[in-house]
Short mmCIF file of all heavy atoms in Angstrom, two decimals:
data_model
loop_
_atom_site.label_atom_id
_atom_site.label_comp_id
_atom_site.label_asym_id
_atom_site.label_seq_id
_atom_site.Cartn_x
_atom_site.Cartn_y
_atom_site.Cartn_z
N VAL A 1 23.04 -50.79 47.82
CA VAL A 1 22.32 -51.40 48.96
C VAL A 1 21.47 -50.34 49.64
O VAL A 1 21.98 -49.28 50.02
CB VAL A 1 23.29 -52.05 49.92
CG1 VAL A 1 22.50 -52.70 51.11
CG2 VAL A 1 24.17 -53.09 49.23
N ILE A 2 20.20 -50.63 49.77
CA ILE A 2 19.29 -49.65 50.40
C ILE A 2 19.48 -49.69 51.92
O ILE A 2 19.63 -50.76 52.53
CB ILE A 2 17.81 -49.98 50.08
CG1 ILE A 2 17.61 -49.86 48.55
CG2 ILE A 2 16.85 -49.09 50.82
CD1 ILE A 2 17.83 -48.44 48.01
N GLY A 3 19.51 -48.49 52.53
CA GLY A 3 19.70 -48.40 53.97
C GLY A 3 18.49 -47.96 54.74
O GLY A 3 18.39 -48.15 55.96
N ARG A 4 17.54 -47.30 54.07
CA ARG A 4 16.35 -46.81 54.70
C ARG A 4 15.14 -47.05 53.79
O ARG A 4 15.25 -46.93 52.56
CB ARG A 4 16.49 -45.31 54.93
CG ARG A 4 16.64 -44.98 56.36
CD ARG A 4 16.55 -43.47 56.71
NE ARG A 4 16.81 -42.47 55.73
CZ ARG A 4 16.01 -41.47 55.47
NH1 ARG A 4 14.80 -41.37 56.05
NH2 ARG A 4 16.31 -40.53 54.56
N ARG A 5 14.03 -47.36 54.35
CA ARG A 5 12.78 -47.60 53.63
C ARG A 5 12.52 -46.39 52.65
O ARG A 5 12.63 -45.23 53.09
CB ARG A 5 11.64 -47.78 54.55
CG ARG A 5 10.31 -48.13 53.91
CD ARG A 5 9.21 -48.30 54.98
NE ARG A 5 7.98 -48.82 54.41
CZ ARG A 5 7.01 -48.02 53.93
NH1 ARG A 5 7.19 -46.65 53.92
NH2 ARG A 5 5.87 -48.54 53.45
N ALA A 6 12.18 -46.73 51.44
CA ALA A 6 11.99 -45.65 50.45
C ALA A 6 10.70 -45.95 49.64
O ALA A 6 10.48 -47.03 49.10
CB ALA A 6 13.14 -45.60 49.47
N LEU A 7 9.79 -44.96 49.61
CA LEU A 7 8.59 -45.02 48.81
C LEU A 7 8.28 -43.62 48.33
O LEU A 7 8.19 -42.66 49.12
CB LEU A 7 7.41 -45.57 49.62
CG LEU A 7 6.04 -45.67 48.92
CD1 LEU A 7 6.10 -46.68 47.77
CD2 LEU A 7 4.94 -46.07 49.85
N ASN A 8 8.12 -43.53 47.00
CA ASN A 8 7.83 -42.20 46.40
C ASN A 8 8.79 -41.05 46.83
O ASN A 8 8.35 -39.95 47.20
CB ASN A 8 6.38 -41.79 46.74
CG ASN A 8 5.37 -42.46 45.82
OD1 ASN A 8 5.65 -42.75 44.67
ND2 ASN A 8 4.19 -42.77 46.34
N ILE A 9 10.06 -41.38 46.78
CA ILE A 9 11.04 -40.36 47.17
C ILE A 9 11.55 -39.64 45.94
O ILE A 9 11.53 -40.19 44.84
CB ILE A 9 12.24 -40.92 47.97
CG1 ILE A 9 12.92 -42.00 47.10
CG2 ILE A 9 11.80 -41.57 49.29
CD1 ILE A 9 14.24 -42.53 47.74
N SER A 10 12.04 -38.40 46.16
CA SER A 10 12.57 -37.63 45.04
C SER A 10 13.99 -38.04 44.72
O SER A 10 14.68 -38.66 45.56
CB SER A 10 12.50 -36.15 45.42
OG SER A 10 13.48 -35.87 46.46
N LYS A 11 14.44 -37.68 43.53
CA LYS A 11 15.88 -37.90 43.19
C LYS A 11 16.76 -37.19 44.07
O LYS A 11 17.86 -37.72 44.50
CB LYS A 11 16.09 -37.43 41.74
CG LYS A 11 17.50 -37.63 41.24
CD LYS A 11 17.69 -37.19 39.83
CE LYS A 11 19.14 -37.31 39.40
NZ LYS A 11 19.33 -36.87 37.98
N GLU A 12 16.34 -36.01 44.56
CA GLU A 12 17.22 -35.21 45.50
C GLU A 12 17.41 -35.91 46.83
O GLU A 12 18.43 -35.76 47.48
CB GLU A 12 16.62 -33.83 45.70
CG GLU A 12 16.65 -32.92 44.47
CD GLU A 12 15.69 -33.38 43.34
OE1 GLU A 12 14.68 -34.01 43.64
OE2 GLU A 12 15.98 -33.06 42.17
N ASP A 13 16.41 -36.70 47.26
CA ASP A 13 16.49 -37.39 48.58
C ASP A 13 16.98 -38.82 48.45
O ASP A 13 17.14 -39.51 49.47
CB ASP A 13 15.10 -37.36 49.23
CG ASP A 13 14.65 -35.98 49.66
OD1 ASP A 13 15.50 -35.15 49.86
OD2 ASP A 13 13.41 -35.77 49.72
N ALA A 14 17.16 -39.33 47.21
CA ALA A 14 17.39 -40.74 47.03
C ALA A 14 18.64 -41.25 47.75
O ALA A 14 18.62 -42.31 48.36
CB ALA A 14 17.42 -41.07 45.53
N LEU A 15 19.70 -40.54 47.61
CA LEU A 15 20.99 -41.03 48.21
C LEU A 15 20.96 -41.09 49.73
O LEU A 15 21.72 -41.80 50.33
CB LEU A 15 22.15 -40.19 47.70
CG LEU A 15 22.44 -40.27 46.21
CD1 LEU A 15 23.69 -39.50 45.85
CD2 LEU A 15 22.57 -41.72 45.76
N ASP A 16 20.00 -40.35 50.36
CA ASP A 16 19.84 -40.50 51.82
C ASP A 16 19.36 -41.82 52.22
O ASP A 16 19.40 -42.17 53.42
CB ASP A 16 18.92 -39.37 52.35
CG ASP A 16 19.54 -37.98 52.19
OD1 ASP A 16 20.80 -37.85 52.15
OD2 ASP A 16 18.71 -37.00 52.14
N HIS A 17 18.81 -42.59 51.27
CA HIS A 17 18.23 -43.92 51.52
C HIS A 17 19.22 -45.03 51.12
O HIS A 17 18.82 -46.19 51.19
CB HIS A 17 16.92 -44.06 50.75
CG HIS A 17 15.88 -43.12 51.23
ND1 HIS A 17 14.84 -43.47 52.08
CD2 HIS A 17 15.64 -41.78 50.98
CE1 HIS A 17 14.08 -42.47 52.38
NE2 HIS A 17 14.50 -41.41 51.69
N VAL A 18 20.42 -44.69 50.76
CA VAL A 18 21.41 -45.68 50.30
C VAL A 18 22.39 -45.95 51.44
O VAL A 18 22.97 -45.05 52.01
CB VAL A 18 22.16 -45.16 49.09
CG1 VAL A 18 23.37 -46.04 48.76
CG2 VAL A 18 21.25 -45.08 47.88
N LEU A 19 22.52 -47.23 51.80
CA LEU A 19 23.52 -47.65 52.79
C LEU A 19 24.92 -47.58 52.19
O LEU A 19 25.86 -47.14 52.80
CB LEU A 19 23.23 -49.09 53.26
CG LEU A 19 24.30 -49.74 54.17
CD1 LEU A 19 24.38 -48.97 55.48
CD2 LEU A 19 24.04 -51.17 54.36
N GLY A 20 25.05 -48.06 50.90
CA GLY A 20 26.40 -48.13 50.32
C GLY A 20 26.44 -48.81 49.00
O GLY A 20 25.38 -49.17 48.43
N PHE A 21 27.61 -48.95 48.47
CA PHE A 21 27.88 -49.47 47.13
C PHE A 21 28.79 -50.75 47.23
O PHE A 21 29.52 -50.87 48.15
CB PHE A 21 28.58 -48.44 46.25
CG PHE A 21 27.81 -47.11 46.17
CD1 PHE A 21 28.14 -46.05 46.97
CD2 PHE A 21 26.77 -46.97 45.27
CE1 PHE A 21 27.49 -44.85 46.94
CE2 PHE A 21 26.09 -45.78 45.13
CZ PHE A 21 26.46 -44.70 46.00
N CYS A 22 28.64 -51.57 46.23
CA CYS A 22 29.44 -52.79 46.25
C CYS A 22 29.63 -53.30 44.80
O CYS A 22 29.02 -52.80 43.86
CB CYS A 22 28.76 -53.90 47.09
SG CYS A 22 27.09 -54.28 46.53
N VAL A 23 30.49 -54.30 44.66
CA VAL A 23 30.73 -55.00 43.38
C VAL A 23 29.76 -56.12 43.24
O VAL A 23 29.57 -56.88 44.21
CB VAL A 23 32.17 -55.46 43.27
CG1 VAL A 23 32.43 -56.13 41.92
CG2 VAL A 23 33.18 -54.33 43.50
N VAL A 24 29.17 -56.27 42.09
CA VAL A 24 28.27 -57.40 41.81
C VAL A 24 28.66 -57.98 40.43
O VAL A 24 28.99 -57.29 39.51
CB VAL A 24 26.81 -56.94 41.78
CG1 VAL A 24 25.91 -58.05 41.23
CG2 VAL A 24 26.35 -56.50 43.14
N ASN A 25 28.61 -59.36 40.37
CA ASN A 25 28.69 -59.99 39.07
C ASN A 25 27.29 -60.53 38.76
O ASN A 25 26.77 -61.46 39.39
CB ASN A 25 29.66 -61.19 39.10
CG ASN A 25 29.89 -61.81 37.74
OD1 ASN A 25 29.30 -61.42 36.76
ND2 ASN A 25 30.83 -62.77 37.67
N ASP A 26 26.60 -59.87 37.82
CA ASP A 26 25.23 -60.27 37.40
C ASP A 26 25.40 -61.37 36.41
O ASP A 26 25.25 -61.22 35.18
CB ASP A 26 24.50 -59.09 36.84
CG ASP A 26 23.11 -59.43 36.32
OD1 ASP A 26 22.57 -60.47 36.74
OD2 ASP A 26 22.53 -58.65 35.55
N VAL A 27 25.66 -62.60 36.92
CA VAL A 27 25.84 -63.76 36.05
C VAL A 27 24.54 -64.08 35.32
O VAL A 27 23.44 -63.96 35.93
CB VAL A 27 26.31 -64.99 36.87
CG1 VAL A 27 26.57 -66.20 35.96
CG2 VAL A 27 27.59 -64.65 37.69
N SER A 28 24.62 -64.46 34.07
CA SER A 28 23.40 -64.62 33.25
C SER A 28 23.55 -65.88 32.36
O SER A 28 24.62 -66.11 31.79
CB SER A 28 23.24 -63.41 32.33
OG SER A 28 23.28 -62.18 33.09
N GLU A 29 22.48 -66.62 32.22
CA GLU A 29 22.41 -67.65 31.20
C GLU A 29 21.56 -67.11 30.08
O GLU A 29 20.31 -67.01 30.14
CB GLU A 29 21.78 -68.92 31.80
CG GLU A 29 21.39 -70.00 30.81
CD GLU A 29 22.48 -70.34 29.80
OE1 GLU A 29 23.65 -70.48 30.19
OE2 GLU A 29 22.16 -70.45 28.58
N ARG A 30 22.25 -66.69 28.99
CA ARG A 30 21.57 -65.96 27.89
C ARG A 30 20.49 -66.75 27.20
O ARG A 30 19.49 -66.22 26.73
CB ARG A 30 22.63 -65.43 26.90
CG ARG A 30 23.68 -64.58 27.48
CD ARG A 30 23.11 -63.27 28.05
NE ARG A 30 24.19 -62.36 28.44
CZ ARG A 30 24.01 -61.22 29.15
NH1 ARG A 30 22.80 -60.89 29.56
NH2 ARG A 30 25.05 -60.47 29.45
N ALA A 31 20.74 -68.07 27.03
CA ALA A 31 19.71 -68.87 26.32
C ALA A 31 18.40 -68.87 27.12
O ALA A 31 17.32 -68.78 26.50
CB ALA A 31 20.19 -70.33 26.19
N TRP A 32 18.49 -68.95 28.44
CA TRP A 32 17.26 -68.91 29.23
C TRP A 32 16.68 -67.53 29.24
O TRP A 32 15.46 -67.36 29.34
CB TRP A 32 17.56 -69.35 30.69
CG TRP A 32 18.07 -70.75 30.82
CD1 TRP A 32 18.05 -71.72 29.83
CD2 TRP A 32 18.57 -71.33 31.99
NE1 TRP A 32 18.59 -72.88 30.31
CE2 TRP A 32 18.90 -72.72 31.63
CE3 TRP A 32 18.84 -70.94 33.27
CZ2 TRP A 32 19.45 -73.58 32.58
CZ3 TRP A 32 19.35 -71.77 34.22
CH2 TRP A 32 19.65 -73.11 33.85
N GLN A 33 17.57 -66.52 29.22
CA GLN A 33 17.09 -65.11 29.27
C GLN A 33 16.34 -64.67 28.01
O GLN A 33 15.32 -64.01 28.06
CB GLN A 33 18.26 -64.18 29.52
CG GLN A 33 17.92 -62.72 29.54
CD GLN A 33 19.12 -61.79 29.57
OE1 GLN A 33 20.27 -62.33 29.63
NE2 GLN A 33 18.95 -60.50 29.52
N LEU A 34 16.93 -65.08 26.84
CA LEU A 34 16.47 -64.51 25.58
C LEU A 34 15.75 -65.53 24.64
O LEU A 34 14.99 -65.11 23.75
CB LEU A 34 17.65 -63.93 24.83
CG LEU A 34 18.36 -62.80 25.59
CD1 LEU A 34 19.67 -62.41 24.85
CD2 LEU A 34 17.45 -61.63 25.83
N ASP A 35 16.03 -66.83 24.80
CA ASP A 35 15.48 -67.81 23.89
C ASP A 35 14.33 -68.62 24.43
O ASP A 35 13.87 -69.54 23.76
CB ASP A 35 16.60 -68.76 23.47
CG ASP A 35 17.81 -68.03 22.79
OD1 ASP A 35 17.60 -66.89 22.31
OD2 ASP A 35 18.89 -68.62 22.79
N ARG A 36 13.94 -68.29 25.66
CA ARG A 36 12.92 -69.13 26.34
C ARG A 36 11.71 -68.30 26.71
O ARG A 36 11.17 -68.39 27.82
CB ARG A 36 13.53 -69.78 27.59
CG ARG A 36 14.69 -70.74 27.29
CD ARG A 36 14.17 -72.03 26.65
NE ARG A 36 13.26 -72.79 27.49
CZ ARG A 36 13.65 -73.64 28.45
NH1 ARG A 36 14.95 -73.83 28.69
NH2 ARG A 36 12.74 -74.24 29.16
N GLY A 37 11.31 -67.42 25.82
CA GLY A 37 10.05 -66.67 26.02
C GLY A 37 10.32 -65.22 26.43
O GLY A 37 9.38 -64.49 26.69
N GLY A 38 11.61 -64.80 26.56
CA GLY A 38 11.89 -63.41 26.76
C GLY A 38 11.72 -62.92 28.19
O GLY A 38 11.63 -61.71 28.43
N GLN A 39 11.60 -63.80 29.18
CA GLN A 39 11.46 -63.41 30.57
C GLN A 39 12.85 -63.42 31.21
O GLN A 39 13.39 -64.47 31.49
CB GLN A 39 10.50 -64.29 31.28
CG GLN A 39 9.11 -64.28 30.66
CD GLN A 39 8.18 -65.27 31.33
OE1 GLN A 39 8.19 -65.44 32.54
NE2 GLN A 39 7.38 -65.96 30.54
N TRP A 40 13.43 -62.23 31.42
CA TRP A 40 14.79 -62.10 31.81
C TRP A 40 15.07 -62.80 33.16
O TRP A 40 16.18 -63.33 33.38
CB TRP A 40 15.22 -60.63 31.93
CG TRP A 40 15.40 -60.00 30.57
CD1 TRP A 40 14.96 -60.45 29.38
CD2 TRP A 40 16.10 -58.79 30.31
NE1 TRP A 40 15.30 -59.62 28.35
CE2 TRP A 40 16.03 -58.62 28.92
CE3 TRP A 40 16.78 -57.89 31.08
CZ2 TRP A 40 16.61 -57.48 28.32
CZ3 TRP A 40 17.36 -56.75 30.52
CH2 TRP A 40 17.26 -56.59 29.11
N ALA A 41 14.13 -62.82 34.04
CA ALA A 41 14.34 -63.40 35.38
C ALA A 41 14.82 -64.85 35.28
O ALA A 41 15.56 -65.35 36.13
CB ALA A 41 13.10 -63.28 36.24
N LYS A 42 14.28 -65.56 34.27
CA LYS A 42 14.71 -67.00 34.12
C LYS A 42 16.19 -67.16 33.86
O LYS A 42 16.80 -68.13 34.28
CB LYS A 42 13.92 -67.62 32.98
CG LYS A 42 12.45 -67.86 33.29
CD LYS A 42 11.74 -68.66 32.20
CE LYS A 42 11.75 -67.98 30.86
NZ LYS A 42 10.84 -68.61 29.90
N GLY A 43 16.77 -66.21 33.14
CA GLY A 43 18.18 -66.33 32.82
C GLY A 43 19.11 -65.65 33.88
O GLY A 43 20.35 -65.66 33.68
N LYS A 44 18.51 -65.13 34.91
CA LYS A 44 19.26 -64.37 35.93
C LYS A 44 19.22 -64.96 37.34
O LYS A 44 19.82 -64.42 38.21
CB LYS A 44 18.72 -62.95 35.98
CG LYS A 44 18.81 -62.15 34.70
CD LYS A 44 20.22 -61.64 34.38
CE LYS A 44 20.23 -60.70 33.23
NZ LYS A 44 21.57 -60.03 33.11
N SER A 45 18.43 -66.05 37.52
CA SER A 45 18.06 -66.44 38.92
C SER A 45 18.60 -67.79 39.36
O SER A 45 18.18 -68.27 40.41
CB SER A 45 16.54 -66.43 39.00
OG SER A 45 16.06 -65.11 38.83
N PHE A 46 19.57 -68.41 38.67
CA PHE A 46 20.12 -69.67 39.14
C PHE A 46 20.96 -69.38 40.39
O PHE A 46 21.51 -68.31 40.60
CB PHE A 46 21.01 -70.26 38.04
CG PHE A 46 21.20 -71.72 38.16
CD1 PHE A 46 20.19 -72.62 37.84
CD2 PHE A 46 22.45 -72.27 38.53
CE1 PHE A 46 20.38 -73.97 37.90
CE2 PHE A 46 22.64 -73.64 38.67
CZ PHE A 46 21.56 -74.50 38.31
N PRO A 47 21.12 -70.40 41.28
CA PRO A 47 21.96 -70.18 42.48
C PRO A 47 23.35 -69.69 42.14
O PRO A 47 23.92 -70.12 41.16
CB PRO A 47 21.97 -71.61 43.09
CG PRO A 47 20.67 -72.26 42.68
CD PRO A 47 20.47 -71.75 41.31
#
């Protein structure tokens, strides 16, 4: 989770812009992701 606005920052400064870490389940519908034109967002964006 980003904690501070970041644009063109270095790797050395990157963690200063992080609020924290969390667990995520990136649920995916693979047929929509891979068999419907190859646009991953379609298989990743259901409610």
Side-chain angles (χ1 to χ4, degrees):
V1 181
I2 297 298
R4 252 191 335 129
R5 185 179 186 272
L7 178 65
N8 279 328
I9 59 171
S10 68
K11 179 179 177 180
E12 291 71 27
D13 292 336
L15 295 183
D16 292 336
H17 294 260
V18 170
L19 172 67
F21 303 97
C22 57
V23 181
V24 171
N25 187 357
D26 177 18
V27 183
S28 309
E29 169 49 45
R30 301 298 188 191
W32 296 351
Q33 177 189 357
L34 301 173
D35 304 336
R36 298 288 298 275
Q39 299 175 42
W40 286 18
K42 289 188 296 191
K44 300 282 189 171
S45 292
F46 203 73

